[in-house]
Each structure stands twice: as structure tokens, then as C-alpha cells.
């Protein structure tokens, strides 16, 4: 695309053209230094004049009280900054960088999921000591799912045990990443004093006498690193040859490759998602962050560098949406937030066209128009009013009401639905009761708003006991919800003991017959279906199909039969938990010309499913967690013994700088209270992380106790 073609896509009124816009996320394992890195980026770009620190509770993007108290990121914060790089084809041009700082804790993985869905690029942060950790892998898979180009920042190069090349090797072996250094560290640990730029082949030394790392000095590469730098640059050029013909030809001919040619090749390779450039640094010590900002501008894509977004129109036909300010408006609502000052905020990524405040937008899901009363650019918890949002922008809307996470907003004449982000199922639940009648109404309103904001937080009512049940991704997730109920909504409530989100499935193939026949004087009810059920592989979901031929069941009764099967699957026959990973075929049945109805066939579907499931060897499944424990070697035996008592299965162990890293699969049921126990066993020196892995069959020895305490009455006829 030529320069004139690009200019035609930009509105003359926008502050930063599309080619100088970057929408990026900062994502990583918990405690890798995402928020600290973001704070340094905000300081060097002039957004803040004093660096905030996570451990002091002063980080700009960790603005919630719960985040500042715990020193973790809970909600993804959006903030904009501007940076002018001093090298490459973008030299001297100021760029806007829209940054989303995402959580690292697995309980808040939905925040990462929805952020990656709308971002054009990402910076994956790794700890130079810890390397690729469990949540690093989760974030990487999420970025792969949404095809997000990324670069890597290996942080904490100043720490004891830092090993830049070991982390790159882990990225290759554990993540399958085609990772190559763009810079080499000069020294490590307390001797980390600079980096070698493999593109320009110059050394950059950090001026530690200058405050906050604002100064640096460019010199020749030190003699002891000359050979290593030459070999690493050669490896980099060879890797880039797969993505750029010019570089490939010059490499084969042995010709010198210009600096700008290499930068174009890195950018092209990064955009394919098949190449990862790696940068070393230490955000806390203010080293290497300016190089990271340059890399974001030079190598991560603008909205114009990526394929057009594809949606489905009202006829279920594919429709491409290119970033063009003059096109028809379309945007994806990726996050909802309740603001105490302006009310409901809807965060959107604009994919095409532009949106002016005061205009109406169409929601294809509800088929209704919504009026946008205000447009805002968010800066963490601060707000800035704007009149227009352009293609490629991330903004917040005020005034739209009936909008959910994942909804598309567009012009009515466009009528397109974009693919929404997907979210994992909740794995833990607990009952919650208000202290007083006055708290009841407030709690209902608050829980409704919180579940609207967070797709992984679910609220339901136990029909048998009348209790309100809240479900989420982990103990910390529900703890934060309860804290927000108290602080933000002033709701006093008592919580019950957390419960595991068990699931049920079938082990064998079987048949089931469902008949619903009622005769009471006048017109009766008649529904009769026969089904076959079979197990699917884990995570394949639920599939219900009709194999009816010859009209033995009329077409209008097939849909209610399927609805009955889906309804029955919400509470299985073992302990009343949802049934997963099965396929049902509707194979036979009969109907009555007068008495058959949709309701009768829905009930027949329910009865047929229950019978088929009872015949198919139903089994109860429990969530299994992938746990990584890092402990000093002297406590290794005690920690492993405790994990074995918790039904843990050791997957592997490795030693890094006097610390033992244990990877183990443990049932969630056995992990309650583990944080306290592992601290006691190691005198506070061990830490751990865990994330959901899969569902597995509950051992027979535990089945009776679970079914006795957890049984839920199935759907009543």
C-alpha cells in the first residue's frame, strides 16, 4: 500500500494517523514485572512525572484499592502515551501507543482474553530468572488463538541467577517460539550495564549516574562481545531470510545488509506471528525500557499492517472490515465497567469508520439502536472526553445500556457481527447471603453489575434452598468480588464455604427413550423420542443432532426436543452437576396428530436424556489444576510429601539457582488453603501458581462423600 493510499484512509482531523498508531498489551506470568514495565513506559513517554511502584501501591495502572493492597493487577487498565523513536524508517515521528496492562494471576484470565481479542500486538514479559512459567504458557496460547504478533521483554536482568539465553531456549522449547535476540545484554545480575543492538551493531550503555535511567551512551561493541555479537547477528539474519526475499538474497550472496532493511524484515517477520524478537532489560532498575519502546514502534504492527477483521452479516455471509476512517462504523465491545461518576462504561475497539458522540449505533444481537451520549479515552481510572473516535482507536462509551461483552456496535446499514472473545468456565462456587433485608436489594443489583462486567463471574439461585450462588475462577477471584461488594456497593454479606464446580459425563454409548403422555378429558399431551448418546473427547463440548428421516417426528418438534436435551444436561444423574463432552443423536420417535405439542416433545427430550445417561455409565469429573511450586531445595521433601497427600501427580522437577521448581497436577478440591500450608512448610520462602488444566474422573473412594454433600435435584418434570 503506497503512502497516498494510506493517507486516503485517515481522517484529516485525527491527531495520529493509522500508520502511527499501536494498540498493544503487556502480558505475562504473575510477578514477571508487567506493571513495573508499564510504569517506566509511561514515565519515559511523559504521561507521568513520577514513577509509580507496585510494592508502594502507587502504580498508575493498578488503580483499584484491592490491586494496591495486594500488589497485583486485577483488572486490565487502558492508557495512552506517545513516543518518538530516534532510529529506523519511523525516526523523528511521534506515535500513539495505546497500552493495556493485563493481570498475571490465572483467576483473572478473562481480562487477558478480552484484551488480546482487540489488540494488534503484545509485549510478552518474562522473568530472566523464572523463565517461562505456567501462566506465561497460558498467555502465549491465548495470543496464538487470536493471532496477535508479539515481541518479548526479558525483565529482571539485574537479579541474581538472570540468564538471558536460557530464557530464549525455554521460549523455543516450551512455547515453540521462533525467538531471536534483537539485543544482547552486556553483563548480567549486578553487572548488567548495557545492551548490544544487533541491528545497528552498536553498544548502548546505561548512565547509572543519571536519575531514573533517562540517559544512555552509544559506543562501539566491547571487544569481549564482538564475536558473540557477530554470531548472534548472523543467526538473526538467517532467521529473517525466511520472511524477506531481499534479506535472503543478500545473506546468500554475502552482501552487507543495511540497518533499515533489517528493521523492515523484523517488522515483516513479527507481523506473521512466526518470529519473536527478544529484548533484555530491567524495568525496576530503569534499564532497557527505551529500547522496548523503540521496538514497539519499529516492529509491532499498526492496524493497517494486519489482515482486515472478518464479521458475519445478517445473511451469515463473511464481510471484511478494513481500518478506514471514511468507511462504515463498526466496533467490538470487549469490556464493561461500572464507574461511580459516569455510570456504565462500555470499552470498544473501533475497527472501521468513525464514531461521534451523540450519534446512535446499532446492536445486531438485540436488533436495537443505542445512543452514545459521551465518548471517553481512559487513562487507567482517569477520563478524557473526546468528540470523535476513529478507526483503530480504543475508547469508552457512555449512554449505551443493553450491551454485553462481545457485542458488535455498528451502523444499521452495515449490520455485521464480529467474533466475540471466548472465556473459560468457572471452577469454584460459594453461597452468599446478605446480612439484612436492606442489603438484599443492594446485593442483587451489585451482583448483576459485577457479572455483567466479568463473563467468568456467574450468579445463580439454588432452587431447592433459595440461596444465591456465585461462581468464579478461583478463591482469590471470589474474595475480590466479596471485597468489591463491601467497598463499592456497601453490601454486608456472609459467604459460605467454597464449592468445587464438578462436571458429569458418560463413559459408554447407550440408548434412551422418552415418553410424555397425558390424557385429561380434552386435548392431551403426546411426545415420544428415542436417542443415542456417546462420549466425546475432553473439551469437545456438547453436540445434539437429528437423524430423523421420513418425518417420524415433524420438523417443528425437533427443536423443542433438542432444547429438552440441553436443559436436562444442566443437571446430571450422578450428583446434579452439568454434563459435558457428549453427543446425542435423535434417532426415532412418534407423534400424535392432535395431542403432540412443543412442550410435550421438550419433556420427552428431558426424559430420554436421563434414561440414556443412566444407561451410559455416567461418571463424575473434578477440575484438575496445573500447579507450579518454587521452593528452596532444603524444603523440597516436605513440599513434595504434602503434594502427594493432596493427590498430586508430579509431572517434572528442575533446579534453578538453589530453588527447586515442581510441576504437579492436583485436584482443585485438595488445594483449598494451600497458600497458608506451603508458607508454613517453607518458613515463608516458597511460592506457587496454579491454573485449570482439565477435568478427570473422581476416584471411587471419594465419590460417595461428594455425591452425599453435593447432590442437586435435577430439573423437575
Amino acid at each position: 500500500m503506497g503512502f497516498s493510499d494510506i493517507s486516503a484512509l485517515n481522517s484529516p482531523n485525527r491527531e495520529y494517523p493509522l500508520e502511527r498508531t499501536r494498540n498493544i498489551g503487556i502480558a505475562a506470568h504473575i510477578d514477571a514485572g508487567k506493571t513495573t514495565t508499564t510504569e517506566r513506559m509511561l514515565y519515559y513517554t511523559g504521561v507521568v512525572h513520577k514513577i509509580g511502584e507496585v510494592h508502594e501501591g502507587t502504580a498508575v495502572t493498578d488503580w483499584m484499592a484491592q490491586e494496591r493492597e495486594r500488589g497485583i493487577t486485577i483488572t486490565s487498565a487502558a492508557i495512552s502515551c506517545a513516543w518518538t523513536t530516534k532510529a529506523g524508517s519511523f525516526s523523528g515521528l511521534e506515535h500513539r501507543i495505546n497500552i493495556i496492562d493485563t493481570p498475571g494471576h490465572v483467576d483473572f484470565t478473562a481480562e487477558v482474553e478480552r484484551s488480546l481479542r482487540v489488540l494488534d500486538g503484545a509485549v510478552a514479559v518474562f522473568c530472566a530468572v523464572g523463565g517461562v512459567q505456567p501462566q506465561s504458557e497460558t498467555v502465549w496460547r491465548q495470543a496464538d488463538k487470536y493471532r496477535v504478533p508479539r515481541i518479548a521483554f526479558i525483565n529482571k536482568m539485574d537479579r541474581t541467577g538472570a540468564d538471558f539465553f536460557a530464557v530464549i531456549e525455554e521460549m523455543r522449547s516450551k512455547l515453540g517460539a521462533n525467538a531471536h535476540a534483537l539485543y544482547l545484554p552486556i553483563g548480567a545480575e549486578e553487572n548488567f550495564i548495557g545492551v548490544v543492538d544487533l541491528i545497528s551493531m552498536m553498544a548502548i550503555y546505561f548512565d547509572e549516574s543519571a536519575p531514573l535511567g533517562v540517559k544512555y551512551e552509544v559506543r562501539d561493541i566491547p571487544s569481549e562481545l564482538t564475536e558473540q555479537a557477530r554470531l548472534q547477528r548472523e543467526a538473526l539474519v538467517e532467521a529473517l531470510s525466511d520472511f524477506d526475499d531481499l534479506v535472503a538474497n543478500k545473506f546468500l550472496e554475502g552482501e552487507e545488509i543495511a540497518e533499515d532493511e533489517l528493521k523492515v524484515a523484523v517488522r515483516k517477520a513479527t507481523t506473521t506471528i512466526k518470529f519473536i524478537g527478544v529484548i533484555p532489560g530491567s524495568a525496576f532498575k530503569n534499564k532497557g525500557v527505551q529500547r522496548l519502546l523503540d521496538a514497539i514502534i519499529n516492529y509491532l504492527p499498526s492496524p493497517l499492517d494486519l489482515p482486515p477483521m472478518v464479521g458475519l452479516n445478517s445473511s451469515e455471509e463473511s464481510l471484511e472490515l478494513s481500518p478506514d476512517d471514511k468507511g462504515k462504523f463498526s466496533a467490538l465491545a470487549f469490556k464493561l465497567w461500572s464507574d461511580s461518576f459516569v455510570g456504565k462504561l462500555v470499552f470498544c475497539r473501533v475497527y472501521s469508520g468513525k464514531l461521534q458522540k451523540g450519534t446512535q449505533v446499532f446492536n445486531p444481537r438485540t436488533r436495537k439502536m443505542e445512543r452514545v451520549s459521551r465518548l471517553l479515552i481512559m487513562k487507567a481510572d482517569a477520563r478524557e472526553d473526546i468528540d470523535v473516535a476513529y478507526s483503530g482507536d480504543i475508547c469508552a462509551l457512555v449512554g449505551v445500556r443493553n450491551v454485553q461483552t462481545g457485542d458488535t456496535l455498528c451502523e444499521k446499514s452495515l449490520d455485521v457481527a464480529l467474533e466475540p472473545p471466548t472465556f473459560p468456565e468457572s471452577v469454584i462456587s460459594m453461597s452468599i447471603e446478605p446480612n439484612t433485608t436492606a442489603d438484599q436489594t443492594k446485593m442483587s443489583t451489585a451482583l448483576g453489575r459485577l457479572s455483567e462486567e466479568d463473563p467468568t463471574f456467574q450468579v445463580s439461585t439454588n432452587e431447592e434452598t433459595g440461596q444465591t450462588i456465585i461462581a468464579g475462577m478461583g478463591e482469590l477471584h471470589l474474595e475480590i468480588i466479596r471485597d468489591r461488594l463491601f467497598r463499592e456497593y456497601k453490601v454486608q454479606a456472609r459467604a459460605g464455604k467454597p464449592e468445587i464446580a464438578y462436571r458429569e459425563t458418560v463413559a459408554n454409548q447407550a440408548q434412551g427413550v422418552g415418553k410424555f403422555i397425558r390424557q385429561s378429558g380434552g386435548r392431551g399431551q403426546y411426545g415420544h423420542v428415542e436417542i443415542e448418546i456417546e462420549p466425546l473427547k475432553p473439551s469437545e463440548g456438547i453436540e445434539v443432532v437429528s437423524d430423523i428421516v421420513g418425518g417420524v417426528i415433524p420438523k417443528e418438534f425437533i427443536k423443542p426436543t433438542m432444547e429438552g436435551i440441553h436443559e436436562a444436561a444442566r443437571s446430571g444423574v450422578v450428583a446434579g452437576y452439568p454434563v459435558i463432552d457428549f453427543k446425542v443423536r435423535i434417532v426415532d420417535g412418534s407423534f400424535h396428530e392432535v395431542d403432540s405439542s412443543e412442550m410435550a416433545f421438550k419433556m420427552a427430550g428431558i426424559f430420554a436424556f436421563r434414561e440414556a445417561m443412566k444407561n451410559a455409565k455416567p461418571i463424575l469429573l473434578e477440575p484438575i489444576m496445573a500447579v507450579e511450586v518454587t521452593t528452596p531445595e532444603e524444603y523440597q521433601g516436605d513440599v513434595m510429601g504434602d503434594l502427594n497427600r493432596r493427590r498430586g501427580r508430579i509431572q517434572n522437577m528442575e533446579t534453578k539457582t538453589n530453588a527447586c521448581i515442581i510441576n504437579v497436577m492436583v485436584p482443585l478440591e485438595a488445594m483449598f488453603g494451600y497458600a497458608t500450608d506451603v508458607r508454613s512448610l517453607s518458613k515463608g520462602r516458597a511460592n506457587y501458581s496454579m491454573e485449570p488444566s482439565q477435568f478427570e474422573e473422581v476416584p471411587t473412594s471419594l465419590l460417595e462423600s461428594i455425591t452425599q454433600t453435593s447432590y442437586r435435584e435435577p430439573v423437575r418434570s
Side-chain angles (χ1 to χ4, degrees):
M1 185 180 287
F3 180 77
S4 58
D5 298 325
I6 291 175
S7 299
L9 301 175
N10 288 301
S11 166
N13 298 320
R14 67 184 295 155
E15 187 178 2
Y16 295 91
L18 277 160
E19 65 272 19
R20 288 198 274 127
T21 299
R22 302 288 182 272
N23 293 312
I24 66 143
I26 312 291
H29 183 87
I30 191 169
D31 203 32
K34 298 176 301 302
T35 302
T36 303
T37 302
T38 306
E39 287 298 316
R40 271 41 179 192
M41 291 166 70
L42 297 180
Y43 176 77
Y44 293 128
T45 55
V47 173
V48 297
H49 301 292
K50 181 178 183 295
I51 291 179
E53 300 291 3
V54 174
H55 60 275
E56 293 174 358
T58 56
V60 174
T61 52
D62 281 355
W63 55 269
M64 290 174 66
Q66 293 87 348
E67 293 176 313
R68 292 183 168 177
E69 288 169 0
R70 292 168 174 80
I72 61 170
T73 301
I74 292 169
T75 181
S76 52
I79 196 159
S80 296
C81 59
W83 180 251
T84 304
T85 182
K86 295 182 175 66
S89 54
F90 297 112
S91 176
L93 295 172
E94 190 173 70
H95 287 64
R96 167 173 280 171
I97 307 175
N98 298 317
I99 304 172
I100 296 184
D101 176 30
T102 63
H105 199 288
V106 68
D107 282 21
F108 310 106
T109 189
E111 292 289 325
V112 186
E113 192 85 30
R114 57 176 156 203
S115 298
L116 288 173
R117 170 63 183 84
V118 297
L119 292 171
D120 300 325
V123 176
V125 181
F126 297 90
C127 173
V129 181
V132 176
Q133 296 167 285
Q135 189 65 8
S136 311
E137 297 183 52
T138 302
V139 168
W140 201 265
R141 287 195 301 269
Q142 288 171 311
D144 282 341
K145 181 169 77 173
Y146 294 114
R147 297 190 57 76
V148 179
R150 67 215 82 137
I151 55 178
F153 182 61
I154 297 182
N155 191 26
K156 304 188 180 184
M157 282 297 300
D158 61 301
R159 278 185 51 186
T160 303
D163 192 331
F164 179 70
F165 292 105
V167 179
I168 290 181
E169 280 306 313
E170 280 194 17
M171 289 176 66
R172 292 170 179 168
S173 61
K174 292 185 178 180
L175 305 176
N178 183 20
H180 292 271
L182 299 176
Y183 295 84
L184 294 185
I186 301 175
E189 303 177 349
E190 70 272 14
N191 297 317
F192 177 52
I193 56 172
V195 293
V196 173
D197 184 343
L198 294 177
I199 304 289
S200 67
M201 290 301 277
M202 295 297 290
I204 300 163
Y205 286 86
F206 310 123
D207 186 348
E208 299 198 28
S209 64
L212 303 174
V214 291
K215 290 185 181 179
Y216 53 88
E217 194 178 330
V218 179
R219 302 186 214 159
D220 290 334
I221 300 172
S223 56
E224 65 271 18
L225 285 177
T226 304
E227 182 61 16
Q228 186 186 23
R230 185 188 66 78
L231 292 172
Q232 289 293 331
R233 189 180 202 265
E234 211 168 88
L236 174 63
V237 172
E238 188 176 351
L240 293 172
S241 299
D242 294 335
F243 305 96
D244 190 291
D245 292 340
L246 175 66
V247 169
N249 291 333
K250 287 194 171 187
F251 176 68
L252 292 172
E253 297 294 329
E255 295 180 31
E256 185 61 35
I257 303 168
E259 187 178 326
D260 280 353
E261 290 171 343
L262 264 185
K263 287 187 174 178
V264 169
V266 174
R267 183 179 181 79
K268 193 183 294 183
T270 303
T271 307
T272 66
I273 322 174
K274 295 177 182 174
F275 174 89
I276 310 295
V278 187
I279 303 150
S282 168
F284 184 63
K285 293 292 178 69
N286 312 304
K287 296 178 178 180
V289 179
Q290 292 105 318
R291 307 286 72 76
L292 176 60
L293 283 162
D294 285 343
I296 288 169
I297 300 301
N298 287 323
Y299 308 134
L300 287 180
S302 75
L304 294 171
D305 297 317
L306 297 174
M309 188 56 55
V310 178
L312 296 176
N313 64 17
S314 53
S315 304
E316 297 293 307
E317 297 167 336
S318 293
L319 189 67
E320 288 190 350
L321 300 167
S322 300
D324 180 356
D325 291 343
K326 300 175 181 66
K328 291 185 177 181
F329 168 72
S330 67
L332 183 72
F334 67 95
K335 177 174 176 172
L336 274 59
W337 192 260
S338 295
D339 187 281
S340 55
F341 295 102
V342 297
K344 182 176 176 179
L345 286 172
V346 177
F347 287 78
C348 284
R349 160 69 194 267
V350 182
Y351 282 103
S352 63
K354 62 183 180 182
L355 175 64
Q356 290 183 300
K357 71 174 182 180
T359 57
Q360 290 197 323
V361 293
F362 180 66
N363 186 338
R365 179 182 61 83
T366 62
R367 315 302 297 172
K368 291 181 179 177
M369 301 293 289
E370 298 268 2
R371 186 176 181 276
V372 180
S373 58
R374 288 175 68 186
L375 276 174
L376 306 170
I377 286 183
M378 300 301 293
K379 295 190 174 177
D381 59 337
R383 299 168 297 276
E384 179 186 322
D385 276 274
I386 57 172
D387 294 325
V388 188
Y390 295 100
S391 179
D393 283 351
I394 292 175
C395 60
L397 281 54
V398 179
V400 291
R401 298 184 181 279
N402 192 11
V403 175
Q404 296 177 0
T405 299
D407 278 355
T408 301
L409 299 174
C410 61
E411 289 184 29
K412 191 168 186 179
S413 58
L414 189 59
D415 196 3
V416 65
L418 296 166
E419 181 190 352
T422 55
F423 301 103
E425 281 194 56
S426 54
V427 296
I428 189 170
S429 64
M430 65 167 62
S431 62
I432 188 164
E433 296 178 1
N435 285 358
T436 66
T437 309
D439 284 320
Q440 177 70 58
T441 307
K442 286 196 292 183
M443 188 179 85
S444 298
T445 304
L447 290 177
R449 287 181 183 171
L450 291 169
S451 63
E452 196 178 52
E453 290 173 10
D454 184 352
T456 58
F457 173 62
Q458 296 167 346
V459 183
S460 60
T461 303
N462 185 314
E463 293 180 12
E464 213 174 50
T465 64
Q467 284 181 308
T468 300
I469 307 296
I470 58 174
M473 297 301 297
E475 285 184 275
L476 179 60
H477 188 194
L478 295 185
E479 181 189 320
I480 297 296
I481 291 289
R482 288 171 55 201
D483 197 40
R484 289 188 62 194
L485 277 176
F486 174 67
R487 293 196 193 194
E488 294 175 32
Y489 298 98
K490 307 295 185 277
V491 174
Q492 301 281 353
R494 304 181 302 277
K497 183 184 174 185
E499 293 183 10
I500 310 298
Y502 292 99
R503 294 290 183 266
E504 298 182 26
T505 192
V506 294
N508 296 335
Q509 192 170 356
Q511 293 183 321
V513 178
K515 288 184 178 180
F516 184 75
I517 303 171
R518 298 285 187 274
Q519 197 65 47
S520 55
R523 180 177 173 176
Q525 295 283 354
Y526 185 94
H528 166 219
V529 296
E530 296 180 19
I531 67 170
E532 291 179 356
I533 191 170
E534 63 184 79
L536 293 178
K537 292 178 182 176
S539 302
E540 285 194 354
I542 297 173
E543 190 179 345
V544 181
V545 297
S546 171
D547 286 351
I548 294 296
V549 292
V552 292
I553 298 177
K555 190 179 287 185
E556 64 266 27
F557 296 141
I558 298 294
K559 186 179 178 184
T561 303
M562 290 181 171
E563 288 174 355
I565 291 167
H566 280 286
E567 187 172 314
R570 291 178 201 154
S571 52
V573 300
V574 181
Y577 287 99
V579 189
I580 59 171
D581 300 331
F582 67 85
K583 180 175 183 175
V584 164
R585 291 188 179 86
I586 305 171
V587 295
D588 203 356
S590 62
F591 72 103
H592 190 279
E593 290 285 356
V594 177
D595 291 350
S596 287
S597 65
E598 290 188 2
M599 191 273 281
F601 272 90
K602 181 176 180 179
M603 297 308 301
I606 291 173
F607 296 153
F609 179 83
R610 286 189 195 154
E611 182 177 293
M613 191 177 175
K614 286 176 182 174
N615 296 336
K617 193 190 173 187
I619 54 177
L620 187 67
L621 305 172
E622 62 180 343
I624 305 296
M625 312 301 284
V627 181
E628 183 180 273
V629 185
T630 304
T631 177
E633 287 181 304
E634 60 260 40
Y635 305 113
Q636 177 185 338
D638 292 339
V639 169
M640 288 182 64
D642 181 64
L643 289 169
N644 285 328
R645 284 191 292 275
R646 295 173 188 269
R647 296 194 284 138
R649 301 193 308 274
I650 306 294
Q651 303 298 297
N652 60 64
M653 291 187 298
E654 59 180 308
T655 302
K656 283 186 183 178
T657 57
N658 299 322
C660 180
I661 299 170
I662 307 166
N663 289 286
V664 57
M665 306 296 280
V666 192
L668 176 60
E669 174 270 334
M671 289 300 291
F672 288 129
Y674 185 65
T676 304
D677 293 347
V678 77
R679 279 198 295 266
S680 299
L681 288 169
S682 63
K683 297 183 180 176
R685 294 173 62 194
N687 59 66
Y688 79 101
S689 65
M690 70 176 183
E691 62 179 352
S693 176
Q694 71 250 6
F695 282 92
E696 291 182 4
E697 186 175 355
V698 172
T700 309
S701 58
L702 297 176
L703 189 59
E704 188 176 340
S705 63
I706 293 171
T707 53
Q708 282 178 349
T709 57
S710 303
Y711 188 78
R712 304 171 177 195
E713 192 67 26
V715 178
R716 298 182 186 278
S717 61

